[in-house]
Amino acid sequence: MTGWLSIFKREFRAYFATPLAYVFIVIFLVLSGVFTFFVGGFYERGQADLLPFFAYLPWLYLFLIPAVAMRLWAEERKSGTLELLMTLPIGISGAVLGKFLAAWAFTAVALGLTVPLVITVNFLGSPDNGAIVSGYLGALLMAGAYLGIGAAVSATTKNQVVAFVLSVTVCFLFTVSGLEIVQAFFPDAVGKEVAKFSFLTRFNDISRGVLDLRDVIYFATLIGFWLFLNRLFLDNAREAG
């Protein structure tokens, strides 16, 4: 068994060893239903699809994903187990990858539990299930990007609350950069470039069934970049002692 896989299994099991995981999942599912059928005006629109769910999902992720990520490394640093983890033969990169994939798998489980929403809209009408599948793929990629940011930020501090606040702040900037009110602060050409970094801009296209390879590459690159920073921050923490 490779090192990262052992870390992955340990961390994934740990999520379900405490009530917090179940609280997170329940909150996520309840809010998903509320935003889809009530806040999103599902019945008033008279159209059976999951656009309301996908429209509010980035904002749900903005707060819920950093809550999952804040403990990844801050807890290790606070408890003093980070130094022990770094001495294991798996290496820092293996630990970073294993922890990230465990958190990503946990969020995938939470996302997968929203499948009853898909069943409901299919019962009520004839939605474009291709667009729904595309939206779920985009949601998983976006969750990975949020987690990448959260994991890297968590590696910079021992305080989980600080990690949460900083992660929300960074994720918020990536999210709102595609809004017109933000782009208004920049010249047109610059505003268009800034919008390309927005989770909203990328995810909205995917959730409507437009699965562009460039959007997939964007999220994959962003995940890789933040995991690299995660490793770099841990190296610095080790050198600082």
Side-chain angles (χ1 to χ4, degrees):
M1 181 186 296
T2 57
W4 70 265
L5 186 56
S6 62
I7 292 293
F8 167 82
K9 289 187 173 183
R10 187 197 74 173
E11 291 292 321
F12 187 70
R13 286 195 297 264
Y15 279 109
F16 297 96
T18 66
L20 291 178
Y22 302 98
V23 171
F24 168 87
I25 290 175
V26 169
I27 292 175
F28 176 69
L29 294 179
V30 170
L31 290 179
S32 295
V34 169
F35 282 119
T36 300
F37 295 109
F38 298 102
V39 180
F42 179 85
Y43 299 105
E44 290 79 2
R45 291 170 61 246
Q47 185 173 347
D49 57 36
L50 285 184
L51 286 182
F53 169 65
F54 292 128
Y56 286 101
L57 190 58
W59 305 105
L60 286 177
Y61 275 173
L62 178 60
F63 294 98
L64 294 179
I65 297 296
V68 173
M70 67 182 184
R71 59 171 289 278
L72 287 178
W73 294 104
E75 186 178 29
E76 300 279 5
R77 295 189 63 176
K78 183 178 180 180
S79 62
T81 56
L82 179 61
E83 291 75 11
L84 176 62
L85 187 62
M86 288 184 173
T87 62
L88 297 178
I90 60 172
I92 299 177
S93 296
V96 168
L97 181 62
K99 277 177 165 286
F100 169 77
L101 290 178
W104 202 6
F106 173 70
T107 58
V109 169
L111 183 64
L113 290 175
T114 64
V115 167
L117 296 178
V118 181
I119 297 174
T120 301
V121 296
N122 274 275
F123 177 77
L124 296 175
S126 301
D128 182 351
N129 286 309
I132 291 177
V133 171
S134 176
Y136 269 89
L137 175 60
L140 192 58
L141 290 171
M142 183 171 60
Y146 276 118
L147 279 171
I149 293 172
V153 171
S154 179
T156 66
T157 178
K158 299 178 180 180
N159 191 310
Q160 293 189 36
V161 175
V162 172
F164 173 77
V165 173
L166 290 178
S167 296
V168 170
T169 301
V170 176
C171 290
F172 177 77
L173 294 176
F174 271 95
T175 302
V176 303
S177 60
L179 296 178
E180 292 183 2
I181 190 173
V182 175
Q183 296 179 44
F185 287 96
F186 301 95
D188 290 343
V190 177
K192 290 180 180 179
E193 292 302 315
V194 171
K196 292 180 181 179
F197 289 93
S198 172
F199 289 172
L200 286 178
T201 302
R202 300 285 182 171
F203 178 65
N204 285 344
D205 290 339
I206 297 176
S207 65
R208 287 177 170 80
V210 184
L211 189 56
D212 193 320
L213 182 60
R214 290 173 296 182
D215 294 330
V216 176
I217 293 175
Y218 165 77
F219 282 117
T221 302
L222 200 64
I223 291 171
F225 172 73
W226 284 99
L227 290 182
F228 169 76
L229 288 183
N230 191 169
R231 164 67 193 265
L232 185 62
F233 293 152
L234 290 176
D235 282 335
N236 291 338
R238 179 173 60 178
E239 293 174 1

